Amino acid sequence: MKIRKNLEAVFLVAAIVTVPASFAADRVQELHAARTAQAAPVAADAKMNVVVVKGHRLSAAEKAQLN
């Protein structure tokens, strides 16, 4: 019975604890991302691998044959 009577207070305490923790966790992620970006510069001459996928569209008859 006491928990029902004090449920609003329990909710408020949970919200007061959770909201600042959420903002703090978000800030930590931003700082970590910024530090990682500074620590690993991209080489100017590095070649990026490119994957090209080529294919043809199925005709209506081919689609019907698959089902």
Side-chain angles (χ1 to χ4, degrees):
M1 185 66 162
K2 287 185 181 181
I3 191 78
R4 273 196 231 158
K5 191 174 183 181
N6 298 322
L7 195 57
E8 183 179 1
V10 171
F11 174 78
L12 288 176
V13 168
I16 289 170
V17 169
T18 305
V19 171
S22 159
F23 284 110
D26 186 45
R27 182 69 179 147
V28 168
Q29 288 178 351
E30 288 176 5
L31 292 174
H32 180 67
R35 185 174 49 192
T36 304
Q38 289 176 345
V42 177
D45 296 332
K47 291 186 178 181
M48 182 179 294
N49 294 332
V50 178
V51 177
V52 179
V53 179
K54 293 185 179 182
H56 65 281
R57 290 184 174 255
L58 296 177
S59 66
E62 290 172 331
K63 286 181 185 177
Q65 187 181 12
L66 291 175
N67 292 331

